[in-house]
Amino acid sequence: MSQKQLKEAFISNLNGTSLLEISAGLSLPPLCLLCRGLLLILYYLHHGKPLSSRKYSLLLDFLVLVSPLVFSCTVLSPIIFFIPVILAAFCAGIFSKIYSQTKREARAPLGQIVKEFQKARLDPECIPAITVFRVYVNVLTSISILAVDFPQYPRRYAKAETYGTGAMDLGVGAFIFGNALVCPEVRQKPHRTRPRFSSLARQVFSVWPLIALGVGRLLSVKSIAYHEHTSEYGVHWNFFFTLALVRLAASLLLAIFPKHKAWLVALAVAVLYQLLLSTTSLKMFILHGSDGRGSRLGFLDANREGLFSLFGYLAIYLASVQVGLWLLQRRSSVRGWLEALGGLALAVLALSVLLQLCQARTEPVSRRMANLPFCTWVLAHCLLLLGSFVLTDLGLVFTGLLVKGCSVPCCWKVVQPPDSGKKQGMEAEPVGRQDKLSQPCLISAINKNQLLFFLLANVMTGAVNILIDTIHSKAAFTLCILHVYMFFNCLIMYILHARNIVLKFW
């Protein structure tokens, strides 16, 4: 077999992992974020000022926010269930140190702080969890697209061939989910009245970079005979095309139907598509081609997975628009967000039950077809991860009340109520505006140029695969390559952020 055939075989015919193992892996990003926040608060407590050094800030963020994820999906994957316990214990130790030190300094008693915490007012215009969710999906995707070519990356985490739940299968759906959370239909202010099809016109213009990237990837892959998993999207299709067409189709539907009914449209699309899969020959065509032997003759046959999975991804996108609209409802207090967490927990529970019913009554999860169980699974786990980030932010807000004056980048800060602001001769300060200026932050840096970060990761992945025999790499070499690759990507974003450069020209 040639090197190309070896690499294609290395990422083919896989069956995924368990839902429990994926849930354990999803607990790591919130715990890393919590650990980073507690370390910054502890630093402020000891030095009386935030960590302002760009060099040390980048190093801390990379070592705490990124490096644990690289280890957990490679050499530490056999003990993936123990890693969250270790991180949680470490975070508990840091919090205990912060609390004991503030208690010695005769600060307010814990009961009073809990009452202040529940009444604390947060900026309703800023929801850090959404930003962190989108950034971490990008980071996890960037790690996985290169790590999957190394033997240290468990085959069960890679994309399943037909049925199964691999970590990378979830990443594709999470990317769609994250994009929908900040789409124009969600961000548009309720009081602004615009023509119903104006958003569609803007989306047509805004998706051209995705189409250009899709064409560029297609040409580059074919020209250098780069290894590819054909049953993932097809011969000519790729994820950039999927993302562009899903955004266009969703904008068209949301121009026709009220956006606050997006969940109904999503349900209709997902159920009708599943009915077609279950009652017609569509499933056999997607899996085995027009001749039943995996033929790739003609454009539709050659790209059947990418074209028909659009219906499932469209359902995920529309449901995510509903989630985004719900999250952006004005909640100005911690109590309001605690109630929102309860709503997210109920949604995750309902979707988890629906997932079990779907798999029992229809078929298992299939990213290849993007069937109803796949849509349900993606939404349940994305809401779980999003809720975990909200909980982490609230935990950092509570810890911040113990240490007056401290702040954590990309996290809520308590805003003074209007009455107290007038009494003290000051105005409420919007969350995050001073953070971005005074405290360096890797999350803010990646968030500013997310598409560029994803594109750079794809280019670097291709370069590494061309230059290195990844399949036969040793563990130490693999870890070194992955860390250098991720650090380089993060460093570029950090430099652009420091110079306030946003490479967006559409």
Side-chain angles (χ1 to χ4, degrees):
M1 296 176 70
S2 66
Q3 188 73 4
K4 178 177 182 291
Q5 290 172 322
L6 280 172
K7 290 193 174 184
E8 287 175 352
F10 194 58
I11 58 175
S12 301
N13 302 313
L14 305 173
N15 299 311
T17 185
S18 67
L19 297 178
L20 185 60
E21 185 169 15
I22 290 179
S23 299
L26 287 181
S27 67
L28 297 181
L31 286 170
C32 290
L33 187 70
L34 179 63
C35 181
R36 193 278 297 251
L38 291 173
L39 286 172
L40 289 175
I41 293 173
L42 184 64
Y43 180 91
Y44 183 92
L45 185 63
H46 280 244
H47 296 85
K49 61 179 181 179
L51 179 63
S52 57
S53 168
R54 294 190 184 277
K55 179 173 64 175
Y56 292 121
S57 177
L58 173 60
L59 188 61
L60 173 68
D61 282 0
F62 184 80
L63 291 178
V64 179
L65 299 179
V66 179
S67 188
L69 304 180
V70 175
F71 279 100
S72 65
C73 70
T74 51
V75 294
L76 295 184
S77 57
I79 58 168
I80 187 66
F81 291 102
F82 296 99
I83 299 176
V85 178
I86 296 170
L87 282 175
F90 185 65
C91 290
I94 301 174
F95 176 81
S96 176
K97 185 172 182 63
I98 293 171
Y99 178 69
S100 61
Q101 188 157 343
T102 54
K103 191 175 181 181
R104 286 198 302 269
E105 296 175 2
R107 296 292 173 89
L110 184 61
Q112 183 181 337
I113 294 174
V114 171
K115 291 180 181 178
E116 289 180 9
F117 171 68
Q118 292 178 341
K119 296 177 182 177
R121 181 171 174 266
L122 307 173
D123 183 5
E125 301 297 327
C126 177
I127 306 175
I130 294 179
T131 298
V132 175
F133 176 90
R134 298 181 71 241
V135 167
Y136 255 117
V137 167
N138 222 327
V139 168
L140 289 167
T141 302
S142 299
I143 294 172
S144 296
I145 59 175
L146 179 58
V148 71
D149 294 314
F150 289 90
Q152 287 73 27
Y153 188 87
R155 297 300 90 194
R156 65 185 184 276
Y157 290 179
K159 290 177 181 176
E161 185 69 25
T162 301
Y163 295 106
T165 51
M168 292 185 72
D169 294 315
L170 179 62
V172 178
F175 220 99
I176 296 286
F177 183 93
N179 272 268
L181 289 179
V182 295
C183 70
E185 291 82 5
V186 171
R187 290 183 281 111
Q188 183 179 339
K189 300 296 182 182
H191 61 272
R192 293 183 182 176
T193 57
R194 291 178 177 174
R196 299 192 71 179
F197 287 90
S198 63
S199 178
L200 178 60
R202 291 196 305 275
Q203 286 284 50
V204 170
F205 179 71
S206 65
V207 300
W208 75 261
L210 293 172
I211 296 175
L213 290 172
V215 172
R217 188 185 191 283
L218 172 63
L219 295 176
S220 60
V221 166
K222 299 301 181 185
S223 62
I224 62 175
Y226 190 75
H227 68 278
E228 53 184 331
H229 193 187
T230 304
S231 64
E232 185 177 349
Y233 294 107
V235 177
H236 312 103
W237 205 261
N238 58 58
F239 184 65
F240 291 113
F241 292 142
T242 293
L243 189 55
L245 288 190
V246 164
R247 286 176 59 175
L248 286 178
S251 293
L252 177 59
L253 288 174
L254 293 174
I256 299 172
F257 300 99
K259 62 182 182 180
H260 63 276
K261 300 291 185 181
W263 70 276
L264 282 175
V265 184
L267 183 62
V269 171
V271 170
L272 287 174
Y273 177 52
Q274 184 60 51
L275 284 174
L276 287 174
L277 289 173
S278 301
T279 60
T280 69
S281 59
L282 178 60
K283 182 194 300 186
M284 295 302 295
F285 172 71
I286 294 174
L287 297 180
H288 305 293
S290 56
D291 63 353
R293 293 178 295 179
S295 65
R296 296 284 174 180
L297 303 175
F299 182 79
L300 180 62
D301 210 351
N303 303 286
R304 54 186 185 269
E305 293 92 349
L307 291 171
F308 285 101
S309 64
L310 287 172
F311 293 102
Y313 291 124
L314 177 59
I316 293 172
Y317 190 99
L318 290 168
S320 307
V321 168
Q322 190 75 61
V323 173
L325 291 170
W326 179 75
L327 286 173
L328 287 182
Q329 293 176 7
R330 292 184 70 85
R331 298 180 182 87
S332 57
S333 66
V334 167
R335 192 184 301 274
W337 278 105
L338 289 173
E339 293 173 359
L341 269 178
L344 286 172
L346 287 175
V348 171
L349 179 61
L351 287 167
S352 299
V353 172
L354 179 60
L355 173 60
Q356 297 304 318
L357 290 175
C358 285
Q359 293 200 104
R361 298 294 181 181
T362 57
E363 58 185 346
V365 171
S366 173
R367 183 265 321 152
R368 187 174 178 181
M369 292 182 285
N371 56 4
L372 180 59
F374 174 77
C375 298
T376 308
W377 171 56
V378 167
L379 290 172
H381 278 69
C382 285
L383 289 176
L384 177 64
L385 181 57
L386 189 61
S388 300
F389 282 130
V390 173
L391 182 62
T392 298
D393 284 335
L394 292 176
L396 291 175
V397 168
F398 178 80
T399 310
L401 291 174
L402 297 173
V403 184
K404 303 299 181 183
C406 73
S407 62
V408 178
C410 285
C411 177
W412 274 314
K413 285 195 299 185
V414 176
V415 177
Q416 291 290 340
D419 292 340
S420 64
K422 290 178 182 177
K423 288 177 183 178
Q424 298 174 16
M426 56 184 285
E427 295 182 356
E429 177 189 355
V431 174
R433 290 185 183 176
Q434 286 195 357
D435 280 349
K436 293 179 181 178
L437 297 175
S438 60
Q439 289 181 267
C441 177
L442 181 59
I443 293 173
S444 296
I446 296 174
N447 182 55
K448 252 186 178 178
N449 287 285
Q450 287 211 49
L451 184 57
L452 178 64
F453 181 82
F454 184 61
L455 177 60
L456 182 61
N458 275 269
V459 172
M460 290 286 292
T461 296
V464 171
N465 271 280
I466 291 171
L467 297 173
I468 295 173
D469 179 14
T470 56
I471 296 179
H472 302 100
S473 298
K474 302 296 184 182
F477 182 73
T478 298
L479 289 173
C480 181
I481 290 295
L482 289 175
H483 276 88
V484 170
Y485 152 81
M486 285 304 299
F487 186 79
F488 178 78
N489 292 346
C490 292
L491 179 62
I492 296 298
M493 298 303 108
Y494 210 77
I495 292 172
L496 293 175
H497 179 58
R499 298 182 178 181
N500 200 28
I501 299 173
V502 181
L503 296 179
K504 185 175 181 178
F505 42 85
W506 57 91

